[in-house]
Structures are given as structure tokens and as C-alpha cells.
Amino acid sequence: MLEDKDQSRTSLGELGEFGLIEHLTKNFAVRQDTTVLGVGDDAAILEFSKDQVVISTDLLVEGVHFDLSYVPLKHLGYKAVMVNLSDIYAMNAIASQVTVSIAVSNRFPLEALEDLYEGINAACKNYKVDLVGGDTTSSNVGLVISITAIGHAAKEDIVHRSGAKENDLLVVSGDLGAAYMGLQVLEREKAVFKANPNNQPDLEQYSYIVERQLKPEARKDVVELLKALEVVPTAMIDISDGLSSEVLHICKNSKVGCHVYEDKIPLDPQVINVCEEFTIDSTTIALSGGEDYELLFSITQKDYPKIKGNPNFTVIGHILPEGDGKHLITRANTTIPLISRGWNALEGS
Ligand code: ADP
Ligand code: MG
């Protein structure tokens, strides 16, 4: 489906490891004053004054987390950074640096890694984070990318998963399920393309959901907005595995129960349409589809007026005592237990 760019293929061996690292990192600017020394020495040096430092790592493996037959490398680089920044924002902190480690087989030409780093650089620019290091090695199983994100926040601003209290409201940013449905469309088009390579996909009507899958944006804006509104959530988590799984994480860590209302779950109209086309229940997709990278958080009732009517936020439920359990209240007003299926479990259903 992806057109192979008609360009030269330079073998990675031609540059050598040091030449390669220098080539890939030379266009990265340093933007943060917390970065004292970036790429080029044995280690990077960072300096944070009073803030606490927040660190998170993710590992992405070709064939497990991404499929290069429909994911352009540039998008992959961008998304790999987003996945990590999202974890920093989920602590209500601001991301400032990343390290990027790659294991790559020699089937990749230099130009492919240039595309990957172009995506990483675009993410660094948009989110004002510095690339300060990494590691490069060879692989005989395909591409592996590991990113570590570093951020910081004042101690009193940092939000854990464990702080939700009885009567708090459960709130989500944005809308849910789009990334998973985007993946379904891409998988379908890949199968169509395999059967007939002349069949070029028309993804126009799926643009929002495909973009949510290929080019997600981490919600730095939500962290900034909460600060501006003077709301410190009592608990927060990013939605990488589906709403129900993340709600259950907050409840487990906070030792509370909850009600989530089906009719409050925010869905984009394109998600509703595509769910109809695929005859899948849109609530199931929002609850168990993955990779939305929205933020789920709890707030005290007294903060409700500060977020009320804000188009970025939807109140989807509230926190109950632990003994009341964790339930979904359906449109038909029945009460069913929230279960975590995880989005991998949806494959083939
Ligand atoms: P070492 O032998 O100590 O591991 P390297 O030669 O791997 O050192 O790295 C040299 C410098 O380049 C270091 O600053 C390291 O953090 C950085 N670096 C190595 N690989 C990457 C990469 N894939 N992306 C960004 N920086 C990298
Ligand atoms: Mg190294």
C-alpha cells in the first residue's frame, strides 16, 4: 500500500556505527534549559532544580507492536515518541527529554532510518523535547525501538493512579475508539491490496480514525489546560489499552469502586459510522480498543465547575466505595461489571 520511494538505498555498513549516529542526530536542536549536555559523550547531563523527575520507558517490536507494511517509518518515529510522552503527561508532568535506542537489521537502508528519525524529530519539535542519547545496535529479527522519556513537575502537581476518592468524578479527554477502528480499516485495506495490488485504497472517509492510529498526539495540552484551570486531578492514567482497563487500574490502585455511564462515553461520529460498517459495538471498542492516548482522571466534585462545559473533557462516571464494585451502567439502565479485555483480545472478534 505504501509506495516505495523511488530513491537510492544506502547500506548502513557504509557509514559505520558512529557515522550513522552522527548522521541521524545532527538535525536535532536542544531546546530545554534542563539539558546540559545532549548526544555525543558517554552520557547526557540534565539539571533539574526543585522539580521531581519523572521517567518512563517503552519498547516497540516490529511484528508485535507495528506492521511496516502500512505504517510509514516517519509516522512510526512520531508515534513511538508520543507513546512515551503520553506516560509523562499522565503523571501531570511536562516532558523535556527522550533517549531513543534502536536495533535494526541490515535489510533497512539508511534512508529508512532517516525517515524514522524525521518522525522522531517532528515529535521533538512539536512537543519541545530534546533527544539526548540512545543506543544503536544490529538485529536479526527486524526493527526494535526503545524510547525513554524524561519529564518533571513540582512534587505537589504530580498525580498518581492511586489518589481517587469516593464521590470524585471520572473524566476523559477527547474521544475514544478511533485508533482501534483506524487499525481495522488499515488491516482491511492491507488484505485487499494483497489480493489485488492494483487496488489503491481510498481512505478519505476514514481520515480521522486512520490519523488517530498512525499519528496520535499525546495530550500535553490537557496537562497545560488543567494547570490553567487550577485543577489537580486526584488520580490520572493515559488510555493506551482501552477505557475499561484504565478505569480498573485507577480503581485497583486507589482501592475504590466506580460507575461508568455508557451514554456518556465520548465517540467521534466517524467511529460510530465505521463501527456500523464493521458491525462492531462502539461501546465495546471504546472500552477495549487501544491506543487512543487520551487522559483519564478523577477530580473532586468541587472542581467540577472548572471543567464543566469544556469541550476537551467529558465526565463519564464517578467513584464509589471499593465494596460497591466497578460497573458500567448501560443505555438500557442495566448494571454490568466492567471487565478488562485489553485490545489484543479483540483481534478476530
Ligand atoms: P557507547 O559506546 O558508550 O554506548 P555510543 O557510541 O553508543 O556510546 O553512543 C555515542 C553517543 O550517541 C551517546 O551520546 C549516545 O547516547 C548517542 N546515541 C547512540 N545511539 C543513538 C541513537 N540511536 N539515537 C540517539 N542517540 C544515540
Ligand atoms: Mg552505545
Side-chain angles (χ1 to χ4, degrees):
M1 182 192 312
L2 264 181
E3 288 164 51
D4 226 349
K5 275 192 217 153
D6 207 15
Q7 60 183 21
S8 57
R9 293 168 64 90
T10 313
S11 139
L12 290 179
E14 280 178 39
L15 278 128
E17 190 190 326
F18 302 120
L20 175 66
I21 295 169
E22 204 195 275
H23 181 80
L24 292 176
T25 58
K26 67 175 191 283
N27 293 328
F28 283 74
V30 170
R31 300 181 176 85
Q32 292 282 345
D33 51 16
T34 49
T35 304
V36 179
L37 183 67
V39 172
D41 211 312
D42 296 311
I45 306 174
L46 310 179
E47 184 167 20
F48 298 95
S49 49
K50 305 183 297 301
D51 280 359
Q52 289 195 328
V53 179
V54 180
I55 299 185
S56 175
T57 297
D58 267 298
L59 185 60
L60 299 174
V61 178
E62 182 179 354
V64 179
H65 302 101
F66 56 90
D67 180 339
L68 289 177
S69 60
Y70 54 74
V71 178
L73 279 157
K74 203 166 142 178
H75 285 74
L76 180 64
Y78 194 89
K79 180 166 174 174
V81 176
M82 285 311 121
V83 171
N84 278 274
L85 300 189
S86 180
D87 284 320
I88 302 291
Y89 300 137
M91 302 300 289
N92 205 32
I94 287 298
S96 45
Q97 287 86 12
V98 287
T99 64
V100 175
S101 298
I102 54 171
V104 59
S105 72
N106 54 16
R107 86 176 148 89
F108 288 88
L110 175 65
E111 288 74 14
L113 292 187
E114 284 174 349
D115 284 350
L116 181 75
Y117 272 73
E118 213 180 296
I120 293 171
N121 204 352
C124 286
K125 257 187 212 155
N126 290 353
Y127 287 77
K128 289 202 175 55
V129 303
D130 295 343
L131 175 69
V132 295
D135 201 18
T136 309
T137 188
S138 56
S139 147
N140 41 26
V141 291
L143 181 63
V144 179
I145 309 172
S146 175
I147 298 191
T148 296
I150 298 155
H152 57 100
K155 188 177 178 198
E156 60 274 18
D157 286 338
I158 292 180
V159 177
H160 301 227
R161 295 178 179 184
S162 57
K165 298 274 183 305
E166 201 180 325
N167 296 322
D168 283 355
L169 301 174
L170 268 175
V171 185
V172 288
S173 65
D175 55 71
L176 300 174
Y180 182 82
M181 290 318 293
L183 181 64
Q184 299 316 297
V185 167
L186 288 168
E187 297 265 10
R188 182 179 68 185
E189 297 310 321
K190 180 186 168 185
V192 170
F193 183 75
K194 259 191 185 160
N196 180 5
N198 293 323
N199 211 330
Q200 282 295 326
D202 177 11
L203 297 177
E204 182 74 32
Q205 58 173 309
Y206 305 110
S207 57
Y208 176 66
I209 61 171
V210 167
E211 175 144 344
R212 291 279 283 175
Q213 168 58 223
L214 291 180
K215 193 171 173 288
E217 301 289 351
R219 300 304 307 258
K220 179 187 187 185
D221 60 326
V222 167
V223 173
E224 291 169 343
L225 180 57
L226 288 171
K227 200 166 181 71
L229 295 171
E230 296 179 5
V231 174
V232 178
T234 52
M236 185 150 66
I237 190 169
D238 70 323
I239 305 182
S240 52
D241 294 332
L243 179 64
S244 57
S245 153
E246 318 302 1
V247 168
L248 292 174
H249 279 306
I250 285 190
C251 287
K252 180 161 184 271
N253 288 34
S254 300
K255 300 191 174 59
V256 293
C258 72
H259 275 172
V260 171
Y261 293 87
E262 181 181 20
D263 63 346
K264 303 288 186 213
I265 297 174
L267 301 170
D268 185 87
Q270 207 172 86
V271 170
I272 296 169
N273 289 338
V274 176
C275 281
E276 269 169 26
E277 189 185 328
F278 279 73
T279 50
I280 311 180
D281 175 48
S282 56
T283 301
T284 306
I285 296 311
L287 289 174
S288 304
E291 302 193 297
D292 287 317
Y293 301 108
E294 293 296 340
L295 293 172
L296 167 72
F297 53 94
S298 52
I299 60 169
T300 62
Q301 299 241 4
K302 77 168 172 41
D303 280 341
Y304 175 62
K306 300 181 190 167
I307 64 144
K308 190 182 169 199
N310 192 308
N312 290 285
F313 299 130
T314 310
V315 177
I316 56 160
H318 56 259
I319 302 293
L320 294 167
E322 188 171 28
D324 289 5
K326 307 159 241 320
H327 292 96
L328 179 76
I329 312 300
T330 68
R331 285 196 187 87
N333 207 22
T334 55
T335 303
I336 58 173
L338 267 179
I339 49 161
S340 162
R341 290 214 292 165
W343 66 283
N344 284 322
L346 285 173
E347 299 289 294
S349 70

